[in-house]
Amino acid sequence: MYTSTDAKPWTVPMLADAKGEGRKLVMLTAYDAGFARVLEENGTDLVLVGDSLGMVVQGHDSTLPVSVADIAYHVQCVARGLDKALLIADLPFGADATPERAFEASMRFLQAGAAMVKLEGAGHKLEVIRFLVDREIPVCAHLGLTPQSVLRLGGYKVQGREDKAAARLREDARLVAEAGATLLVLECVPSALASAITHASTIPTIGIGAGADCDGQVLVLHDLLGANTGHRRPKFVKDFLAEGGSLAGAVRAYSEAVRSGAFPDAAHAYE
Ligand code: KIV
């Protein structure tokens, strides 16, 4: 069984090693030091301060109201709870609208303890990725359902079901890696498409509603614990507290299920 003492601190280059060796990456969101510590002690490799905090912590209907200051505050909190896990900070809505704005926000997050920033989309964001990577800021890309695009998408829907959209997603995955991203989150994507992207990708993929073939998995902590966030629970969410019996047990059950490939099963994925 995994314990916190049998792992070295995560570094960015170790992500590529994990993909090369076929080791699954276990990622969860956290927003404070106490939960972050429990995550790390129970098998979590990567911790994300996601802009999901707008919905699960602040109680908004979307992630759009989250500010750079909000993320920076929670990154500071989470960083104090971690020794080994790699900490990733989300660039909130608008903070990555230009390369310069993204750099200012990213600098704050790295100085607060993050090792990488995450941003949604491709298109003009490719220039932002290149700008950040050229300035020593590791980047995680996020494709598929990008919650900051909720107004354009008209809701939180599975992406890439039609041939044209699937081809676009495949191409965007290639382009974000080429621009310098070192990690790629795929959200709400049919399992077969996520599998094809993962096999073609030079960088590790992390799935959330994207099937078991991704190189790792992420869930929002509140969803893993079955908390009522006031929002509809997507199909890919599994309540691990019911199975694990305690907070630590739930995180351990999730980590072990991701590493063994048992999660997500077909009931928690899209065709
Ligand atoms: O904000 C967030 O928590 C995320 C994850 C769902 C990947 O982006």
Side-chain angles (χ1 to χ4, degrees), residues 21 58 77 96 111 120 134 167 185 248 255:
E21 292 160 15
Q58 297 173 335
C77 298
D96 56 0
Q111 287 169 347
E120 298 183 5
D134 281 353
V185 167
S255 303

Side-chain angles (χ1 to χ4, degrees), residues 27 29 31 48-53 63 90 118 120 142 147 185 187 206 208 218-221 236:
M27 177 162 152
T29 67
Y31 313 96
L48 170 69
V49 175
D51 62 357
S52 53
L53 72 84
T63 59
D90 240 348
K118 177 167 81 58
E120 298 183 5
H142 182 160
V185 167
E187 179 164 354
I206 304 286
I208 173 163
V218 60
L219 279 181
V220 169
L221 180 60
F236 61 77

Side-chain angles (χ1 to χ4, degrees), residues 28-46:
L28 281 170
T29 67
Y31 313 96
D32 67 42
F35 279 97
R37 200 167 289 117
V38 176
L39 263 49
E40 182 176 274
E41 284 172 351
N42 291 282
T44 308
D45 305 315
L46 314 174

Side-chain angles (χ1 to χ4, degrees), residues 135-147:
R135 286 157 185 78
E136 308 300 348
I137 295 176
V139 173
C140 171
H142 182 160
L143 297 174
L145 171 57
T146 47

Side-chain angles (χ1 to χ4, degrees), residues 96 119-126 129 141-144 146 149 172 176:
D96 56 0
L119 60 82
E120 298 183 5
H124 81 94
K125 301 291 180 67
L126 297 172
I129 296 173
H142 182 160
L143 297 174
T146 47
S149 317
D172 283 349
V176 294

